């Protein structure tokens, strides 16, 4: 009996030893496999469908849809619009990302006040926000299109430069910058590889899959949310939704990702 | 009102690959929110029909994730076949949608 038990224990130890040395390379491969599998069964298209309905719905005090919203390619043109944002808009005199531009359309076309339009921009799994649905829909219309964000306009150039400066600016109680996590290769937090967003390779892989559906929270997360959460992780004050600061950081990453094919809305851990 | 569903059905040689996305909270009845149990709310039955004939009849439980994605392989099939998929949950709510095999 004792002998039997000892051999069982020995067998278990042997198994544990055999399973233990997982090499870093294998680990990376396994994580990629996991990411592929989550992407294959992603419900992200449901957000695009809801977004399409919301885009066409007559809403706001003016009871009009967003179908005449100009995202930079002319009123109502969605194809490829996201792959060219952020960009400078003549009517507002600002460089805008998708979400701040949607706020513009909701105020100018639909007649919402800015406060109403930005009242609930980040939703939860039980009740996603309008911005999340709309972002998924508009971004989905750029799937397969090459990223081509311009810095020709002086304001676009200035936004890019401000984003670059902010990316490397260390501040806050932890003396953190975006570059602390996303500036050097081969860093990770738990299972998550941290892309080097100041490099073309890192920015391309990451930027082209946002906004994304997060399986861990069963919800679509927008680019504004992503940057907002990076601010939180750095212990910075919460940035204003659609502010020049958030747009600048988006601009910096988008320009770094130029030339890559947009593949989103993606699927995240 | 239940959220959208989406079917993608593609002919792949001698079988048809059917994928369906469903919006559903899939509450297990175990989760607490603000200290109170969230009542169970999950899909119990999924039915797949191809050209009116039932090919899959599935019983599902709380173990399935929120916004589930199901994939089935059905022998044979041809382009244009009508695929209908419907679900019923434990509260008696239901939804269905259809698509043609591409």
């Amino acid at each position: 009996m004792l002998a039997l038990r000892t051999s069982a224990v020995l067998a278990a130890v042997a198994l544990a030893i055999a399973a233990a040395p997982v090499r870093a390379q294998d680990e990376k491969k396994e994580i990629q496999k996991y990411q592929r599998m989550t992407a294959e069964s992603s419900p992200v298209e449901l957000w695009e469908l809801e977004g399409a309905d919301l885009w066409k719905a007559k809403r706001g005090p003016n009871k009009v849809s967003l179908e005449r919203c100009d995202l930079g390619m002319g009123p109502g043109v969605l194809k490829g619009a996201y792959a060219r944002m952020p960009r400078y808009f003549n009517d507002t005199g600002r460089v805008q990302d998708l979400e701040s531009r949607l706020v513009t359309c909701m105020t100018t076309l639909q007649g919402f006040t800015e406060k109403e339009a930005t009242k609930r921009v980040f939703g939860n799994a039980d009740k996603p926000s309008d911005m999340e649905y709309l972002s998924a829909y508009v971004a989905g219309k750029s799937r397969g299109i090459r990223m081509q964000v311009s810095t020709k306009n002086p304001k676009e150039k200035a936004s890019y430069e401000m984003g670059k400066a902010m990316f490397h600016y260390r501040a806050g109680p932890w003396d953190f910058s975006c570059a602390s996590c996303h500036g050097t290769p081969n860093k990770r937090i738990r299972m998550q590889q941290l892309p080097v967003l100041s490099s073309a390779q890192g920015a391309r892989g990451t930027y082209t899959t946002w906004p994304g559906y997060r399986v861990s929270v069963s919800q679509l997360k927008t680019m504004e949310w992503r940057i907002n959460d990076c601010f939180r992780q750095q212990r910075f004050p919460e940035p204003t939704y659609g502010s020049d600061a958030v747009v600048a950081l988006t601009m910096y990453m988008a320009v770094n990702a130029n030339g890559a094919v947009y593949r989103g809305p993606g699927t995240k851990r | 009102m239940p959220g959208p569903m989406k079917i993608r059905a593609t002919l792949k040689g001698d079988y048809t690959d059917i994928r369906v996305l469903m919006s559903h909270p899939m509450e297990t009845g175990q989760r607490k929110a603000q200290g109170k149990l969230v009542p169970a709310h999950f899909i119990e039955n999924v039915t797949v029909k191809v050209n009116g004939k039932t090919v899959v009849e599935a019983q599902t439980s709380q173990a399935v994730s929120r916004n589930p994605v199901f994939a089935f392989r059905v022998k044979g099939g041809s382009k244009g076949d009508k695929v209908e998929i419907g679900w019923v949950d434990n509260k008696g709510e239901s939804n269905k949608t259809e698509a043609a095999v591409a």
Side-chain angles (χ1 to χ4, degrees), chain A residues 40-47 49-50 53 125-126 213 217-219, chain B residues 3-6 8 19 21-25 27 31 66-69:
Chain A
E40 268 172 20
S41 57
S42 170
V44 71
E45 278 175 74
L46 295 173
W47 266 252
L49 288 174
E50 293 265 15
D53 289 345
D126 291 326
Y213 181 84
V217 292
S218 311
Q219 203 201 336
Chain B
M5 287 176 75
K6 185 166 186 175
R8 192 176 293 130
R19 278 172 182 271
L21 308 176
M22 302 169 179
S23 314
H24 202 282
E27 285 294 350
R31 188 171 73 94
R66 186 189 280 261
N67 303 321
V69 178

Side-chain angles (χ1 to χ4, degrees), chain A residues 54-78 81 85 87 89 91-92 94 96-118 130-131 134-135 138 241:
Chain A
L54 200 55
W55 183 262
K56 290 163 199 152
K58 291 185 168 55
R59 299 167 75 232
N62 297 349
K63 293 202 167 43
V64 293
S65 73
L66 287 170
E67 286 163 302
R68 298 294 296 161
C69 178
D70 184 354
L71 297 174
M73 317 279 286
V77 182
L78 292 176
M85 292 179 104
R87 67 190 293 160
F89 287 89
D91 54 355
T92 54
R94 283 184 62 200
Q96 294 182 288
D97 65 342
L98 170 61
E99 290 165 76
S100 59
R101 189 61 189 172
L102 286 171
V103 172
T104 302
C105 287
M106 286 160 90
T107 50
T108 54
L109 294 174
Q110 298 183 315
F112 287 110
T113 63
E114 196 167 322
K115 205 176 158 192
E116 286 166 341
T118 55
D130 292 352
M131 279 299 166
L134 291 169
S135 294
V138 175
Y241 190 77

